[in-house]
Amino acid sequence: CAIACRISVDQMMGPDGIEASEDPVRFAELAEKEGVVDIWDVNVCDFMEWGEDAGPSRFYKANHQAPFTKFIRQATKAPVINVGRLTSPDDMAEVIRSGQADIIGAARPSIADPFLPKKIEEGRNEDIRECIGCNICISRWERGTLLVCTQNATSNEEYRRGWHPEKVDKTDAPCSVLVVGAGPAGLECARMLGERGYDVHLREAGDEIGGHINDVQRLPGLAEWGRVVSWRQIQIDKLKNVEVHTGVGEMSADEVLGYGADKVVLATGSRWYEDGYNHITMGPMAGVDVSGPRFATPEQLMAGKEVGDRIVVLDADGYFMGSSLAQMLAEAGKEVSIVTSYRSAGPIMDFTLEAPNLHRRFNELGVKQYTTHWVEELEVDNMVKLRIFDLLRDGSTRTTEPVAGELPRAAGTEVAEIEADTVVLATGRLALNALWLDLKGRKAAWGKAGIHGIYQAGDCYSPRPIAEAVFDGHRIAREFESDDPQQPLPYIREQMVWGRDN
């Protein structure tokens, strides 16, 4: 049997660790001399930061390991495998042609598209569902939960839901479907409905499809996330039964009822709270006014709103938005601080492997972090004075007897003060469900309008990560003939549910 050896050729520790041009080369030469290795699989890896291997696109582009892994090829005649989130056939071909490696290793690209080699073989490069390098798959693996993929909604659902990544069941009851909103959920839902044979009208209020991805892909390092839109646009353009209408403005309930569709999917998205509403205080912040120069939402910033020189980013979201805006503003020369309720800025990025280099970048840019803190009070004049408090300032011991209206701990009163010319509000997202609520209140009119059902997909049902919004749109389309597509159908469970015999 062939002996394969995977070896990390560099630990990113300089002379204190394994270095690519030294130890691994000597090791490969020895193995070659002894004839004990038949194929080499090489990568880079730091035990503390395996994001240096499974590099997120925020910091590492395709084939980022090449400068380190190239030395093994010179030390052995055995075949060499390289990894490095290679998603493009052109990049893969160049790796082979250049002599860098003999075989392409592609884990995340194969999660995004399990039929990647077949599509290359058939010359269907435009159909490849390329990995965006968000590492949401790894974030789930890190927490021991079901792996998901932003690009591939069928990932890990092949068995338990019976979803094939490429094959879909055609509908036995084709009808017309209106999809309102062409963000991630709406695009995926329209694409899948079209693949299944429905007559789909996808209507987008804005001038271009993509929803909030159009802003996200402009954040530092996130350009590849735009593939969420571009791949779906390519696929939708191939479907003659899917019409896309952009720049139509926000649809009203009357327009939906009078459109003539048999069924409707609302994918109207979400927006960031404009009043500072957050999960820490469970309410808005007194004094916040985004119509003036002292406060801005992420959408306003990306639309070009002018901000001052001293910026405080309030981040209660914990994922990429607050941190990315802090980085973007600091790179534009602003003096930036970030106040977050978490133990570090963007803690979800600990799981996507983006955090170490994000914090290194913060250090380079001088971004100051106030962690496990939140705003107690705002004072607004020609600047904003923020009084922030440590979330753990109260006493460690609870009182023995509860008293209504009193905190069951010794209440802390310490605050710190910071000043800003502009405060950026990444405090939470609001589902844009006004259209749904209006239509829900007029449910008696659905039948008269010939509408058999109206459903919500993605953020307008509940704000969530992009991968989950895409999954929601996909699932609804897959289960469109069920009695209520809003509710997921049962799936195969490996463990017995309590109270059931099987």
Side-chain angles (χ1 to χ4, degrees):
C1 103
I3 302 299
C5 177
R6 183 164 209 190
I7 178 175
S8 173
V9 298
D10 204 297
Q11 292 178 292
M12 305 296 153
M13 297 170 63
D16 293 333
I18 294 173
E19 293 184 284
S21 61
E22 297 294 333
D23 311 270
V25 175
R26 306 289 87 78
F27 179 72
E29 289 173 345
L30 176 61
E32 180 83 7
K33 179 180 178 181
E34 298 294 330
V36 295
V37 174
D38 298 299
I39 186 168
W40 294 93
D41 182 0
V42 295
N43 72 334
V44 299
C45 190
D46 180 331
F47 288 117
M48 299 301 292
E49 295 180 33
W50 75 288
E52 294 302 298
D53 175 16
S57 58
R58 178 187 295 268
F59 295 107
Y60 294 113
K61 302 308 176 187
N63 201 26
H64 65 94
Q65 298 193 29
F68 300 89
T69 59
K70 64 183 180 182
F71 297 100
I72 293 296
R73 173 69 285 166
Q74 303 165 14
T76 179
K77 295 179 181 178
V80 175
I81 300 174
N82 268 191
V83 295
R85 201 174 53 81
L86 290 154
T87 65
S88 164
D90 292 333
D91 291 343
M92 295 179 190
E94 180 57 30
V95 168
I96 304 301
R97 279 196 298 263
S98 68
Q100 173 189 324
D102 305 289
I103 302 172
I104 302 298
R108 286 170 294 167
S110 295
I111 295 171
D113 195 331
F115 289 84
L116 173 60
K118 191 65 175 177
K119 291 177 181 178
I120 294 174
E121 181 184 28
E122 295 174 350
R124 297 165 50 210
N125 292 1
E126 77 282 0
D127 290 333
I128 295 172
R129 193 188 298 110
E130 290 189 58
C131 169
I132 67 171
C134 66
N135 279 6
I136 199 71
C137 55
I138 289 173
S139 78
R140 297 300 179 88
W141 185 90
E142 283 279 302
R143 289 176 282 179
T145 61
L146 187 70
L147 184 148
V148 300
C149 177
T150 299
Q151 283 285 66
N152 178 15
T154 68
S155 177
N156 267 224
E157 303 292 349
E158 299 91 344
Y159 169 68
R160 70 173 192 167
R161 295 185 194 264
W163 291 356
H164 190 283
E166 298 291 313
K167 300 174 183 178
V168 297
D169 295 330
K170 297 295 184 180
T171 179
D172 294 328
C175 65
S176 61
V177 184
L178 169 63
V179 179
V180 184
L187 285 170
E188 180 66 8
C189 190
R191 180 190 74 84
M192 182 54 54
L193 288 170
E195 293 277 5
R196 299 199 57 220
Y198 287 94
D199 177 20
V200 182
H201 286 223
L202 176 60
R203 290 176 65 83
E204 165 58 38
D207 293 332
E208 56 183 341
I209 64 172
H212 74 289
I213 297 293
N214 295 325
D215 283 344
V216 170
Q217 66 182 346
R218 293 163 50 212
L219 294 169
L222 301 189
E224 290 186 52
W225 291 29
R227 292 173 181 168
V228 172
V229 177
S230 60
W231 180 80
R232 285 164 178 81
Q233 182 171 23
I234 290 170
Q235 302 309 307
I236 287 174
D237 286 346
K238 294 182 178 183
L239 298 170
K240 304 301 182 183
N241 55 324
V242 179
E243 295 183 18
V244 181
H245 304 275
T246 58
V248 300
E250 294 184 4
M251 293 191 74
S252 66
D254 286 335
E255 288 174 313
V256 171
L257 292 171
Y259 196 81
D262 297 311
K263 292 185 178 181
V264 179
V265 178
L266 304 178
T268 48
S270 65
R271 64 166 172 80
W272 292 90
Y273 279 106
E274 297 179 347
D275 57 7
Y277 190 98
N278 60 90
H279 73 272
I280 301 104
T281 63
M282 296 303 294
M285 294 180 179
V288 169
D289 179 8
V290 297
S291 66
R294 300 293 165 228
F295 298 92
T297 65
E299 291 97 345
Q300 288 177 322
L301 273 184
M302 300 309 293
K305 183 173 182 175
E306 293 292 331
V307 296
D309 292 327
R310 295 175 302 171
I311 309 293
V312 169
V313 177
L314 298 182
D315 176 26
D317 178 63
Y319 193 14
F320 64 85
M321 183 56 74
S323 298
S324 296
L325 292 175
Q327 179 184 342
M328 182 182 75
L329 290 164
E331 288 176 347
K334 306 296 183 182
E335 179 185 325
V336 180
S337 299
I338 185 167
V339 176
T340 178
S341 57
Y342 301 101
R343 295 185 183 277
S344 65
I348 294 176
M349 290 190 283
D350 288 326
F351 300 109
T352 61
L353 314 184
E354 296 167 285
N357 283 321
L358 171 73
H359 291 290
R360 290 187 180 102
R361 186 65 180 138
F362 277 180
N363 290 337
E364 291 172 344
L365 295 168
V367 174
K368 188 171 184 179
Q369 299 185 49
Y370 296 87
T371 59
T372 66
H373 274 71
W374 201 242
V375 178
E376 182 172 271
E377 187 180 17
L378 294 170
E379 183 180 318
V380 185
D381 194 3
N382 59 346
M383 67 179 71
V384 183
K385 183 178 291 185
L386 301 95
R387 296 184 180 88
I388 61 175
F389 66 98
D390 191 321
L391 296 178
L392 302 176
R393 68 180 176 179
D394 299 329
S396 61
T397 304
R398 289 182 298 182
T399 54
T400 56
E401 295 292 337
V403 178
E406 293 186 11
L407 183 71
R409 299 180 184 275
T413 58
E414 299 84 2
V415 296
E417 291 189 354
I418 53 178
E419 296 179 348
D421 300 314
T422 306
V423 175
V424 177
L425 304 167
T427 59
R429 288 187 289 161
L430 173 68
L432 295 176
N433 58 8
L435 179 56
W436 159 250
L437 294 175
D438 195 354
L439 287 165
K440 180 183 177 183
R442 301 169 63 179
K443 194 168 185 178
W446 296 7
K448 296 177 182 177
I451 296 176
H452 302 295
I454 301 178
Y455 317 106
Q456 294 173 278
D459 286 357
C460 71
Y461 186 75
S462 176
R464 61 191 78 185
I466 300 166
E468 294 181 17
V470 170
F471 176 87
D472 205 33
H474 186 97
R475 183 200 60 76
I476 287 174
R478 285 265 189 175
E479 302 175 349
F480 211 54
E481 295 85 7
S482 71
D483 292 338
D484 183 9
Q486 194 70 67
Q487 302 302 318
L489 290 174
Y491 51 82
I492 298 172
R493 297 179 184 271
E494 292 297 325
Q495 295 183 354
M496 181 170 31
V497 178
W498 181 82
R500 296 280 298 274
D501 293 331
N502 52 49

